[in-house]
Amino acid sequence: QVQLVESGGGSVQAGGSLRLACVMSGTDHSDYCVAWFRQAPGKAREAVAAVDGDGHIAYADSMKGRFTLSQDSAKSAVYLQMDSLQPEDTAMYYCAASARRSAKGILWLIPERYNHWGQGTQVTVS
């Protein structure tokens, strides 16, 4: 059974940084596209970044420049480094995974394409 566990959220002041982690278990993560999404209260869930089984990393246009995705294959972990955080970055951040999907193109941005989700980690910027 695939499980995703996020960690690293918290409260920071504007301009600060946080590093989120997503650890996958229960499967060989190398065949998965793993993505970060976020959802603020009253807003739709939006894609942040993703990495696929080929190691291709993609960012949503609005996230480029301040967010950096990386992975540690040995730990089955995907990280999201978030710098220069602003109050509008306040949201619940989710890790999602889907088998045999690519992070190329634009389809990776669609939440419905992911069938495994973590419980989320809250990020609050004031």
Side-chain angles (χ1 to χ4, degrees):
Q1 181 177 357
V2 177
Q3 288 189 322
L4 300 168
V5 179
E6 304 99 329
S7 61
S11 297
V12 295
Q13 293 186 337
S17 298
L18 283 174
R19 187 190 191 212
L20 306 183
C22 170
V23 178
M24 173 183 274
S25 62
T27 188
D28 180 4
H29 77 285
S30 64
D31 196 32
Y32 279 73
C33 178
V34 180
W36 284 98
F37 286 81
R38 70 182 187 183
Q39 188 167 21
K43 295 188 176 181
R45 190 165 295 190
E46 63 175 340
V48 178
V51 58
D52 63 22
D54 293 331
H56 179 78
I57 296 174
Y59 298 92
D61 287 344
S62 60
M63 310 296 174
K64 292 178 181 178
R66 297 187 298 120
F67 292 2
T68 304
L69 187 149
S70 62
Q71 62 177 337
D72 184 335
S73 298
K75 298 181 179 179
S76 297
V78 175
Y79 304 99
L80 184 68
Q81 176 69 38
M82 306 186 296
D83 299 316
S84 302
L85 286 164
Q86 300 300 315
E88 52 266 33
D89 295 315
T90 295
M92 185 72 80
Y93 284 71
Y94 296 93
C95 181
S98 182
R100 296 178 297 279
R101 297 291 191 189
S102 173
K104 296 180 181 179
I106 61 173
L107 295 179
W108 71 269
L109 295 160
I110 303 173
E112 289 75 13
R113 290 178 65 85
Y114 297 84
N115 51 352
H116 303 287
W117 290 83
Q119 80 288 351
T121 185
Q122 178 68 39
V123 171
T124 303
V125 186
S126 59

